Amino acid sequence: MAPSSFPSLQKPAAWSPSEPSLSSWCMRSATRGDTCCLTSSVISARWRSRNYPVLKEGPSESPGPGAPPPSHDYKVCATYMDGFRATAVCPVGGPRAAEKARRTADSIIKRSRRMFKQLGLEDFHAVNIQVLGAEDTYGPNARSKDSREAVIWMAVHHQQKKALEIFSREVAPAGTGMAPGLTGIVGGRPRVSPVLKPFFFLYPKSQMKVDIHVAGELLESLSPAEPDAPEQTQDEAPPTSDQDVPDTDLPSGPHTYRLEDLAYTRSGDKGDSANIGVISRHPLYFPYLKKHLTSSVVEDYFSHLIEPGVHNAVTRYSLPGIHGLNFILRSSLGGGGVASLRSDPQGKAYGQMLLDLKLKGLPDLKSLVD
């Protein structure tokens, strides 16, 4: 269940009297925008499996005291124009395919820059070159650096459309005059398209006035009523990793587990922030995940994808009702959505990448569930 499908952002997606904290946490996250559809979809799936009721669209009674009151602000999503972008995707085959792919991409960028200089154009605003098949996305966590099949992902950003049209023309000769093994350009010559960057902000409901005009005449003016309840405070938010103290008395041991052995993951985006949900495969594993899978561990694992200079970029939230953890990775998507030049602009693979993380110093956890 994605946030956009909620009956209302003032109501939780589901409600259980036995677990009000879980339902209200889900709603608070959607209202504040700290998470994306990942968490709500995971919660929704678990809700259905446990036969909890899901509210239908339209007016409904308040589900109980755990539901948060309406906020004092509207959450506004706007976009603005920020230059142009183009992306070239080219398969390469044969020995040392990854190396040939990288050299081909570098040559195209150098040729384009030389032409920009001759024509008095500015340099690229941003360039992102990835070799899919060489595990570039994994950074220092990559295992295989070469392959006999690879794909060039070359995305560029410039303030002038003319510059990227030049780049687009320079990609075509790569198939005939550069490294052997380049099989073609996926989708043909790269298309130049505008970059629409998102911008999010809160706007006070008290300052919003609606005028209704009929046949050119003002019929009515409406202003929203102030909420009955006071604005929620930050103290009511779900506990972060700083507040959620792990059990330090847990036993240790000589065993090492990949995260995939102990948990499921799924990930998505919210603007330029990625969201990774981790759910324990067994309730008995959850205390060990809380102890070893900290926000600092996750931040270190994805540090190559987080914008330089952003400190404490990862925040962890605990969902004890479903034995889960939710990680928010700020400034980790290269702008996010259409503003990102990356091959995974929405962080859809982040959760799967995290499954390879090794957790060390654990006891024999498998014996706990045998």
Side-chain angles (χ1 to χ4, degrees):
M1 182 186 304
S4 60
S5 65
F6 286 162
S8 169
L9 281 182
Q10 281 85 33
K11 301 173 184 176
W15 172 258
S16 169
S18 62
E19 295 190 46
S21 62
L22 181 55
S23 53
S24 68
W25 185 92
C26 172
M27 192 58 254
R28 275 194 286 263
S29 295
T31 306
R32 289 204 327 269
D34 281 351
T35 188
C36 70
C37 60
L38 167 277
T39 303
S40 53
S41 65
V42 169
I43 291 176
S44 178
R46 180 59 63 94
W47 231 277
R48 289 193 297 270
S49 67
R50 297 175 70 170
N51 296 319
Y52 289 158
V54 176
L55 297 181
K56 298 180 180 179
E57 293 191 19
S60 59
E61 296 181 359
S62 174
S71 70
H72 289 252
D73 301 300
Y74 290 114
K75 184 169 70 173
V76 183
C77 174
T79 58
Y80 65 95
M81 181 80 167
D82 185 26
F84 299 86
R85 60 170 294 160
T87 303
V89 180
C90 308
V92 181
R96 301 180 302 282
E99 180 184 354
K100 289 186 291 187
R102 213 176 303 280
R103 289 192 177 188
T104 298
D106 289 340
S107 296
I108 293 172
I109 296 299
K110 288 179 181 178
R111 284 164 59 99
S112 299
R113 281 177 167 153
R114 188 161 56 245
M115 296 185 71
F116 291 174
K117 188 174 182 180
Q118 293 172 350
L119 296 172
L121 298 174
E122 295 181 356
D123 193 6
F124 291 108
H125 183 266
V127 175
N128 180 52
I129 297 174
Q130 292 176 248
V131 178
L132 308 182
E135 300 193 6
D136 282 9
T137 306
Y138 282 83
N141 305 307
R143 294 178 182 174
S144 175
K145 294 291 185 179
D146 200 5
S147 171
R148 291 183 296 179
E149 293 179 335
V151 177
I152 302 171
W153 177 279
M154 181 170 42
V156 293
H157 180 204
H158 201 284
Q159 293 299 320
Q160 292 181 261
K161 185 177 182 180
K162 176 182 177 181
L164 294 192
E165 290 173 343
I166 294 172
F167 161 80
S168 178
R169 290 196 298 268
E170 289 303 305
V171 172
T176 55
M178 292 190 184
L182 193 148
T183 64
I185 306 171
V186 177
R189 182 181 293 179
R191 291 190 298 271
V192 179
S193 58
V195 174
L196 297 176
K197 286 191 174 180
F199 176 66
F200 308 98
F201 62 95
L202 299 177
Y203 191 84
K205 292 180 179 178
S206 59
Q207 298 181 21
M208 178 63 71
K209 180 183 177 183
V210 178
D211 293 332
I212 302 176
H213 293 264
V214 176
E217 295 185 4
L218 178 62
L219 182 65
E220 188 176 4
S221 295
L222 302 174
S223 297
E226 290 291 336
D228 296 332
E231 182 73 270
Q232 269 184 289
T233 63
Q234 187 64 29
D235 294 335
E236 294 176 303
T240 64
S241 55
D242 294 333
Q243 302 163 311
D244 190 18
V245 181
D247 186 354
T248 56
D249 294 330
L250 288 173
S252 58
H255 295 274
T256 297
Y257 292 95
R258 291 174 62 248
L259 181 60
E260 188 174 19
D261 298 329
L262 307 178
Y264 307 96
T265 64
R266 191 173 176 90
S267 56
D269 70 314
K270 192 72 171 181
D272 194 24
S273 296
N275 174 205
I276 304 177
V278 180
I279 296 184
S280 177
R281 289 181 179 269
H282 193 279
L284 294 177
Y285 297 162
F286 185 53
Y288 295 92
L289 290 177
K290 289 174 61 178
K291 180 178 179 180
H292 292 270
L293 193 63
T294 62
S295 57
S296 59
V297 168
V298 173
E299 182 167 352
D300 181 67
Y301 189 79
F302 287 103
S303 60
H304 61 287
L305 296 175
I306 296 172
E307 183 180 334
V310 178
H311 302 291
N312 300 319
V314 177
T315 302
R316 189 185 79 175
Y317 296 93
S318 179
L319 289 81
I322 59 173
H323 310 108
L325 300 171
N326 185 39
F327 295 90
I328 307 298
L329 288 67
R330 295 185 297 108
S331 303
S332 62
L333 296 174
V338 296
S340 176
L341 301 181
R342 298 181 183 177
S343 60
D344 185 13
Q346 296 176 311
K348 297 295 186 181
Y350 282 22
Q352 298 303 296
M353 293 166 64
L354 190 61
L355 291 176
D356 283 324
L357 177 68
K358 292 183 178 181
L359 303 178
K360 301 179 180 180
L362 297 172
D364 184 6
L365 298 182
K366 297 298 182 180
S367 64
L368 299 177
V369 298
D370 290 339

